[in-house]
Amino acid sequence: MRHDSRQPEQLRPIKVERHYTRATPGSILISAGNTVVLCTASLDNSVPPWKKNDENPTGWVTAEYNMLPGSTSPRKQRRADGRSSEIQRLIGRSLRAVIDFGALGPRTITVDCDVLQADGGTRTLSITGGFLALLDTVLAIPETCELAPGEAFDPKRIFSDSVAAVSVGVVNGEPVLDLDYIEDSTAGVDMNVVMTGGGDFIEVQGTAEGQTFNRGMLDAQLELATVGIQQLTEIQRGCFGADWPL
């Protein structure tokens, strides 16, 4: 039993609210326990400068990540840092892994992940919520964009799969799923796993914290992550109901 009475394979309580703000077609407020992230996705009917010279420009998806000053105690200074840059690159890579840019067309979607409250797992929750904001934005393209003549827009062609992410680690010698800050700060191993809803890996980031770990412990953590991703995918699917295109 963990300090918050969860079992090793148990996620923190997950809550998702769609259309949390009105300024963007994709807006998701997502929480895992005491970690809360606002994920918004903005659509631009143009492509990055480095794509404009292509004969048939394809679309692009990028991401930005930030922890708001009041998300932690003591206050986090409002400035870019190396950690934020690394995390937003991870979010962007994870989302792009399931996108067909040709089917998206010459459009850019920017996913912004702003941490309102941090208690561990902000990067993984940003990926899970960021995918939902991205999906909502893609579903809104026929209503928010003027389609090219003869363009047959089908969101099923844009997404090859869904994306979610979760943390795993070794705490007090035991592998556990979805670490909060108390567990993360004392973990012997800290790992973040990004996967598709179909069970394929997109990225695995694992680090030993003061001790090594063997192949058996690695496999145990990846198995826990797979169980967590399955649960998160069902939550994502349930948020969209009949609108889920995958």
Side-chain angles (χ1 to χ4, degrees):
M1 191 71 71
R2 298 156 73 176
H3 78 93
D4 56 2
S5 300
R6 284 186 292 149
Q7 295 297 321
E9 72 283 357
Q10 189 174 357
L11 294 169
R12 289 173 289 179
I14 306 293
K15 297 179 181 179
V16 180
E17 184 175 346
R18 289 175 68 193
H19 309 305
Y20 187 74
T21 61
R22 298 183 179 181
T24 61
S27 173
I28 299 290
L29 184 71
I30 186 168
S31 63
N34 292 321
T35 294
V36 184
V37 183
L38 175 62
C39 302
T40 58
S42 304
L43 179 66
D44 186 357
N45 284 306
S46 65
V47 295
W50 53 272
K51 275 182 170 276
K52 289 184 177 179
N53 293 328
D54 294 348
E55 183 176 351
N56 294 302
T58 58
W60 188 245
V61 172
T62 187
E64 294 190 12
Y65 167 95
N66 189 41
M67 291 181 65
L68 298 187
S71 63
T72 63
S73 181
R75 176 185 183 274
K76 180 176 175 61
Q77 295 189 16
R78 195 186 297 271
R79 66 185 181 191
D81 55 33
R83 177 182 179 275
S84 296
S85 297
E86 184 270 325
I87 291 175
Q88 67 188 31
R89 288 196 294 269
L90 168 64
I91 298 169
R93 288 195 305 270
S94 301
L95 299 178
R96 289 192 291 270
V98 297
I99 295 292
D100 183 326
F101 296 116
L104 178 61
R107 305 176 176 98
T108 299
I109 299 177
T110 301
V111 178
D112 287 287
C113 301
D114 291 292
V115 179
L116 307 184
Q117 185 169 276
D119 186 36
T122 62
R123 73 184 67 194
T124 53
L125 195 62
S126 294
I127 293 169
T128 301
F131 175 77
L132 297 180
L134 173 63
L135 178 55
D136 252 334
T137 299
V138 169
L139 292 176
I141 285 178
E143 289 75 38
T144 57
C145 296
E146 182 177 347
L147 300 182
E151 180 179 0
F153 188 82
D154 182 2
K156 293 182 180 180
R157 293 178 56 241
I158 294 176
F159 293 99
S160 61
D161 209 332
S162 60
V163 176
V166 72
S167 65
V168 287
V170 178
V171 179
N172 297 324
E174 296 294 332
V176 294
L177 177 69
D178 192 16
L179 284 66
D180 62 11
Y181 178 76
I182 291 176
E183 293 177 322
D184 184 67
S185 63
T186 60
V189 180
D190 182 19
M191 186 176 295
N192 299 299
V193 180
V194 188
M195 297 178 67
T196 67
D200 291 332
F201 291 97
I202 295 175
E203 188 151 343
V204 177
Q205 300 179 333
T207 305
E209 302 285 352
Q211 66 182 64
T212 61
F213 59 100
N214 59 30
R215 177 62 181 269
M217 189 62 76
L218 172 62
D219 291 342
Q221 291 175 89
L222 293 178
E223 184 61 32
L224 274 181
T226 301
V227 171
I229 295 297
Q230 291 172 346
Q231 296 177 60
L232 290 169
T233 301
E234 286 305 308
I235 291 171
Q236 290 175 320
R237 187 189 304 270
C239 290
F240 279 76
D243 293 335
W244 184 258
L246 303 170

